[in-house]
Amino acid sequence: MKHEKRKMTCCLLLLLSLTGCRVRDTARLRSVETMGIDLRPGELVLSVSTGAGTEELPSLHLSAAGSSIHDCMAKLEQGAEGQELFYSHLRFLVLGESAAKELCTLLDFFERAPELRLTLPVYTVRGEAEPLVTDEESEIGGLLRSLERSGKQTGLCTVPTLLEADRGLRQDAAALCAAVRDGELTGYALLRPGEPPRFSSAEEALGLTLLYKGLRYAAFTVELPRGYAVVETQNYRSGSRRPCAYTLRELSGESSTAELNAAVSARLEAAERAALAFLGSAASPPPCRAELKRGYDLTGGGSP
């Protein structure tokens, strides 16, 4: 009996010691939310942010220069004040213009790193990523979440992932990612190996969203013969057999339903035409047929 009690006591002590180690290790872990990459002559600069912090655990904004991403990660660890940086919950990837130019080379690292996901949303900033990622006044994670939402709402940009960029480079030697300038979403950046990124206009971005993702929802203004209208589109993709259903948010002046439908159709076709030209394609966009839906039409309840 004494032998059994002694054995049980030893097992409990071992279990408690292991649990204690696990708690201490977990307390040291800091999950990185945003990673930024810049390339400078002869070195790579890696910047990270752990997201919004608390009084007990303030957010970390760090950057380090080195010969590779692994080298930079080791240096960041040294500057983390005894805390261990954890990358499995990485939420955003931000590329400076120089890094975007070499995305093919960087992809090799992400494909081989088991703790990193290829489903990361990718942003390209004009200039360098480091100032944006390490800015303690404007938390980068919250900013990018806000930009992601606004891009979907306006049709300006549905943020591509690293996996989508990888597929684009393999299939078409070109990739799209979201473009940011001065903390604002401006549309898309077109990346081709060894070339500086090209940045779309808002009109080109609307067309690119139509071509690649489709508009889940978008709000924009169309000019009319006797005024203008602000419309909201619903679930439409380029070349769809179904008409592009839209509702009116605002109408200035008088206009018939036929004029509204024609104006919305022309606007979407013009956006697609601009997007194809941005991609260097001489193809013509498929015709678009827009159809006004009143509020009561959408409910299926008949006339009000």
Side-chain angles (χ1 to χ4, degrees):
M1 181 67 71
K2 289 183 179 180
H3 176 72
E4 291 297 326
K5 287 184 177 179
R6 190 179 297 113
K7 186 176 180 182
M8 185 177 294
T9 302
C10 290
C11 289
L12 287 171
L13 289 172
L14 178 60
L15 180 60
L16 287 171
S17 66
L18 289 174
T19 304
C21 289
R22 190 175 298 139
V23 170
R24 284 195 298 273
D25 288 343
T26 302
R28 289 179 57 245
L29 289 177
R30 296 302 305 276
S31 183
V32 174
E33 182 179 60
T34 305
M35 175 186 289
I37 304 177
D38 296 297
L39 294 180
R40 296 172 184 167
E43 65 180 11
L44 180 146
V45 178
L46 191 68
S47 49
V48 297
S49 167
T50 57
T54 63
E55 289 186 9
E56 295 79 15
L57 207 61
S59 61
L60 291 178
H61 300 81
L62 305 169
S63 67
S67 58
S68 67
I69 295 181
H70 286 293
D71 184 26
C72 290
M73 282 181 165
K75 292 180 178 179
L76 287 172
E77 202 76 40
Q78 296 171 7
E81 301 177 351
Q83 300 176 77
E84 183 180 349
L85 299 178
F86 184 63
Y87 293 91
S88 292
H89 294 161
L90 193 63
R91 178 69 180 83
F92 303 106
L93 178 63
V94 183
L95 304 176
E97 285 188 68
S98 57
K101 183 178 178 180
E102 302 300 331
L103 179 58
C104 284
T105 304
L106 297 173
L107 276 169
D108 184 64
F109 167 79
F110 285 92
E111 290 171 350
R112 294 174 184 273
E115 72 275 20
L116 298 176
R117 299 174 295 111
L118 286 177
T119 52
L120 290 172
V122 188
Y123 296 79
T124 291
V125 299
R126 303 200 189 203
E128 292 198 335
E130 182 187 18
L132 188 64
V133 175
T134 58
D135 183 3
E136 297 183 7
E137 298 299 322
S138 175
E139 172 50 47
I140 180 63
L143 172 65
L144 295 179
R145 269 187 287 273
S146 175
L147 296 182
E148 194 170 24
R149 286 193 300 270
S150 68
K152 288 180 180 179
Q153 291 173 353
T154 60
L156 182 63
C157 178
T158 301
V159 182
T161 64
L162 196 58
L163 181 60
E164 289 171 324
D166 190 4
R167 287 172 177 165
L169 288 169
R170 292 176 186 275
Q171 296 173 5
D172 306 315
L176 290 173
C177 64
V180 176
R181 183 175 188 176
D182 298 329
E184 298 289 337
L185 191 66
T186 61
Y188 293 93
L190 178 64
L191 311 183
R192 288 195 168 103
E195 297 181 11
R198 290 182 54 223
F199 296 95
S200 74
S201 65
E203 184 78 355
E204 291 163 343
L206 178 64
L208 289 167
T209 301
L210 267 168
L211 290 169
Y212 284 99
K213 293 280 190 176
L215 296 176
R216 292 178 57 189
Y217 167 89
F220 51 83
T221 301
V222 294
E223 298 296 327
L224 300 168
R226 297 177 300 281
Y228 68 89
V230 180
V231 303
E232 295 179 357
T233 65
Q234 303 161 10
N235 294 325
Y236 178 72
R237 185 163 188 160
S238 176
S240 174
R241 292 183 179 180
R242 295 183 304 168
C244 174
Y246 71 95
T247 56
L248 278 175
R249 175 187 285 183
E250 181 182 347
L251 177 63
S252 175
E254 295 182 359
S255 184
S256 66
T257 299
E259 288 174 331
L260 284 166
N261 290 343
V264 174
S265 299
R267 172 67 194 278
L268 294 177
E269 287 182 13
E272 288 187 60
R273 194 174 297 109
L276 289 168
F278 175 75
L279 296 171
S281 171
S284 298
C288 170
R289 182 168 63 88
E291 186 175 296
L292 175 63
K293 295 289 184 181
R294 307 287 183 183
Y296 51 85
D297 294 331
L298 298 178
T299 65
S303 301

